[in-house]
Amino acid sequence: LPATRSLDATAGGLDQVDLYRWLGVLLFSMDSNALSPQQQSIFESALLRGRLTELFGCSSLQAEEGTKLFITGLFSQLGDVFNATMANALSHFSVSEPISRALLHRDGPYAPFLKLAIACEDHDQASIDHHAASSNIPPEQLNTLYAKAVVWTHELQQSAAS
């Protein structure tokens, strides 16, 4: 993200989805010393899931959907972050219908990519194969995208720690 002088200056130039992405990355990349090990694990998982969902979805959908896909993956752990149901946690945010459907019902245009990200996270090979095939992502591309997401998450965490 570019350096900015104030939150107002940053927020003023962003639409709602981009603002959620920016705030999400900011929130989820907080100083790990301020987090419990459980919170740190949830935040790291949410960042990785967001990036995976984005990369998997952008391989099939329009590139403009990337930020919405990222928010879908990132917000998929809101319930864990707030120790609440997903519906309750999501009620505090205004998200588009496709994001809401993916998060609450695991359907809609973003759901296959979220399901694939979760399957990768769970190391569930049968689900990975199923969701990758239904998303038209070949295994070699899946591995490349997964590696990119892991590197991105690691770099983000390293920059937050310094």
Side-chain angles (χ1 to χ4, degrees):
L1 293 172
T4 185
R5 294 193 174 134
S6 73
L7 179 60
D8 289 341
T10 300
L14 300 173
D15 65 19
Q16 184 177 26
V17 172
D18 287 334
L19 179 62
Y20 279 164
R21 180 185 180 106
W22 183 82
L23 289 173
V25 169
L26 182 66
L27 170 68
F28 285 95
S29 63
M30 293 185 322
D31 179 11
S32 61
N33 295 326
L35 303 174
S36 73
Q38 182 180 10
Q39 289 172 317
Q40 186 175 354
S41 177
I42 292 169
F43 290 167
E44 289 171 6
S45 176
L47 282 169
L48 179 60
R49 193 181 289 179
R51 186 66 173 146
L52 282 171
T53 304
E54 176 184 21
L55 292 174
F56 293 158
C58 283
S59 67
S60 299
L61 300 175
Q62 300 286 342
E64 299 83 43
E65 300 293 313
T67 297
K68 293 175 186 173
L69 288 157
F70 178 82
I71 294 299
T72 300
L74 185 73
F75 278 26
S76 70
Q77 297 208 302
L78 279 178
D80 295 331
V81 169
F82 293 116
N83 196 27
T85 65
M86 176 57 72
N88 188 331
L90 195 58
S91 70
H92 299 282
F93 298 89
S94 175
V95 296
S96 68
E97 187 261 342
I99 294 173
S100 179
R101 283 178 56 198
L103 295 176
L104 295 173
H105 308 291
R106 295 296 195 257
D107 70 4
Y110 303 153
F113 311 109
L114 176 60
K115 290 176 186 177
L116 179 56
I118 293 169
C120 289
E121 194 176 287
D122 292 341
H123 306 287
D124 181 347
Q125 194 60 52
S127 290
I128 292 169
D129 293 343
H130 171 76
H131 294 300
S134 68
S135 300
N136 297 317
I137 301 174
E140 60 279 355
Q141 183 182 9
L142 178 78
N143 292 335
T144 299
L145 295 174
Y146 186 84
K148 284 182 180 182
V150 169
V151 167
W152 178 87
T153 303
H154 179 74
E155 288 174 351
L156 185 63
Q157 291 167 330
Q158 292 300 312
S159 68
S162 56

